[in-house]
Amino acid sequence: MNSSSFSVFIFTAVIILRCLNPIKAATCHPDDEAGLLAFKSGITRDPSGILSSWKKGTACCSWNGITCLTGDRVTALTVSGQSEVAGSFLSGTISSSLTKLQHLDGIYFMNLKNITGPFPQFLFRLPQLKFVYIENHRLSGPLPVNIGSLSQIEAFSLEGNRFTGPIPTSISNLTKLSQLNLGGNRLSGTIPDIFKSMPELRFLVLSRNGFSGNLPPSIASLAPILRFLEVGRNKLSGKIPDYLSRFKALDTLDLSRNQFSGVVPKSFANLTKIFNLDLSHNLLTDPFPALYVKGIESLDLSYNKFHLKTIPKWVTSSPIIFSLKLAKCGIKMSLDDWKPAEYYFYDFIDLSENEISGSPARFLNQTEYLVEFRAAGNKLRFDMGKLTFAKTLKTLDLSRNLVFGKVPATVAGLQTLNVSQNHLCGKLPTTKFPASAFAGNDCLCGPPLSPCKV
């Protein structure tokens, strides 16, 4: 998981702030104008004109990304690029002159990509600052040891930068935090045991760093209200703490790509509100507990030491699941016997490296929004020539199975295909895929393989 819900929350807040922007004043405070223009002067490239409306002598409250809720004073600053649009980024540094914006309570710098420099020290000199989102830049260096001086902050995100070193223990002084996101940096050391002083914390994201050791005991104090706990893609170890089963409000739990070992606590059955669970790429062992959830949205148990034998009933009965990943989970069943409560919502399926037989045709032909289907390294046996695909399907991996028949022309609409090591035969349709996508079959021919014999 990649804290997508967290990001959605952020962008929703930004949109609301923009909508709240009142009728603009004819002038703006000279300190605010000077601070904003100094920030603009520190930007060396603005290819899409994000700051084009920032012009000296015009009302800065009317500039793009500026919110003024107290007369002529700037209260929120939003500068964001579009992560999927090349050239919508800024290059340069963040000017310390933003300290002139003394009424600022929210900074939202997101997806600007090429902003460099250390942790912005001017944040310490903004007495009304409550919301800080400085995401997806190239800021680097250590987090300041006195970061706890930002004690008025309620939401703090530095996701997607290049900060290094440990989390300073003074961060325990941020007692008003409801959201803390330090994901996607290069932080290291152990996660400090500082969460008892954060009774309002609902979102905790520390994924994609280099943290080691165990989860700190004080995380247990967050049980009443924590909704997001994401610590995937670190070097954490030990057993999964039993205290996590007391997180009755928990929506998302991501412990993936660490070195957690032992069994998943049986008490996880108490997580009745869990919607997104990712325990993949650890060293976890049987038995996996049955969960009593009304519906799970995404589940990833791949690449542990589980021997599930079948897809669990509590998964099959979920009416809302869109992502199911059970690669190398010791499943030995036929897809013909799998009858999910709902096909409609599935977007991503990965059942690779099991001993699954039967045919996925019913699944591939009935789902409306399927984007990715992976089932490499199984015992699937069916006629591929009879497959039809959802128009949304982009990735199909059926390699190392017992698939026979012809490759249908409809595969040309996919972005990624692998049907190697099967029993397919006949002339290939015209596609953009390399020879490796079709290698190791009985008698396929035509580009990119050898010409068909006349």
Side-chain angles (χ1 to χ4, degrees), residues 175 177-178 180 194-206 216-229 243-244 246-250:
T175 58
L177 276 184
S178 64
L180 176 62
I194 43 83
F195 297 102
K196 284 185 179 180
S197 64
M198 299 180 180
E200 304 299 321
L201 198 62
R202 288 170 169 79
F203 297 80
L204 176 58
V205 179
L206 302 174
S218 62
I219 287 183
S221 66
L222 305 176
I225 62 172
L226 194 72
R227 291 186 56 200
F228 285 71
L229 176 57
Y243 64 66
L244 290 178
R246 302 199 298 270
F247 284 58
K248 298 298 180 64
L250 200 62

Side-chain angles (χ1 to χ4, degrees), residues 1 253 274-280 288 291 296-302 308 311-312 314-316 321-327 348-350:
M1 255 154 269
L253 176 62
I274 197 81
F275 283 117
N276 306 287
L277 178 62
D278 191 348
L279 304 179
S280 64
F288 190 86
L291 300 189
I296 193 158
E297 293 178 340
S298 66
L299 175 69
D300 194 346
L301 304 180
S302 302
L308 300 182
I311 298 174
W314 58 270
V315 176
T316 300
I321 192 165
F322 73 89
S323 180
L324 176 63
K325 298 182 178 181
L326 299 175
F348 304 94
I349 298 175
D350 189 351

Side-chain angles (χ1 to χ4, degrees), residues 427 444-454:
K427 184 179 180 180
L444 288 178
C445 60
L449 301 179
S450 301
C452 294
K453 296 179 181 179
V454 178

Side-chain angles (χ1 to χ4, degrees), residues 281-317:
H281 296 271
N282 279 289
L283 305 170
L284 301 170
T285 58
D286 296 323
F288 190 86
L291 300 189
Y292 300 99
V293 292
K294 293 181 179 178
I296 193 158
E297 293 178 340
S298 66
L299 175 69
D300 194 346
L301 304 180
S302 302
Y303 300 105
N304 282 283
K305 298 180 179 180
F306 296 132
H307 300 85
L308 300 182
K309 296 184 180 179
T310 63
I311 298 174
K313 291 182 179 179
W314 58 270
V315 176
T316 300
S317 62

Side-chain angles (χ1 to χ4, degrees), residues 351-368:
L351 301 175
S352 303
E353 311 299 337
N354 286 291
E355 294 183 44
I356 299 173
S357 58
S359 170
R362 174 170 50 101
F363 219 95
L364 291 169
N365 295 348
Q366 291 183 22
T367 47
E368 294 288 331

Side-chain angles (χ1 to χ4, degrees), residues 110-178:
M110 293 176 286
N111 299 317
L112 301 180
K113 299 294 185 182
N114 296 324
I115 299 295
T116 59
F119 182 90
Q121 293 289 326
F122 73 88
L123 298 178
F124 292 104
R125 302 193 294 276
L126 295 173
Q128 299 188 37
L129 195 62
K130 296 180 180 179
F131 309 101
V132 176
Y133 296 94
I134 302 179
E135 299 184 343
N136 298 320
H137 302 81
R138 295 185 181 180
L139 300 184
S140 59
L143 299 179
V145 294
N146 64 331
I147 198 168
S149 299
L150 297 168
S151 57
Q152 77 279 11
I153 296 291
E154 297 177 15
F156 191 46
S157 177
L158 299 175
E159 182 181 21
N161 283 283
R162 300 179 179 183
F163 291 112
T164 54
I167 299 177
T169 55
S170 73
I171 203 169
S172 62
N173 294 329
L174 306 187
T175 58
K176 297 180 180 179
L177 276 184
S178 64

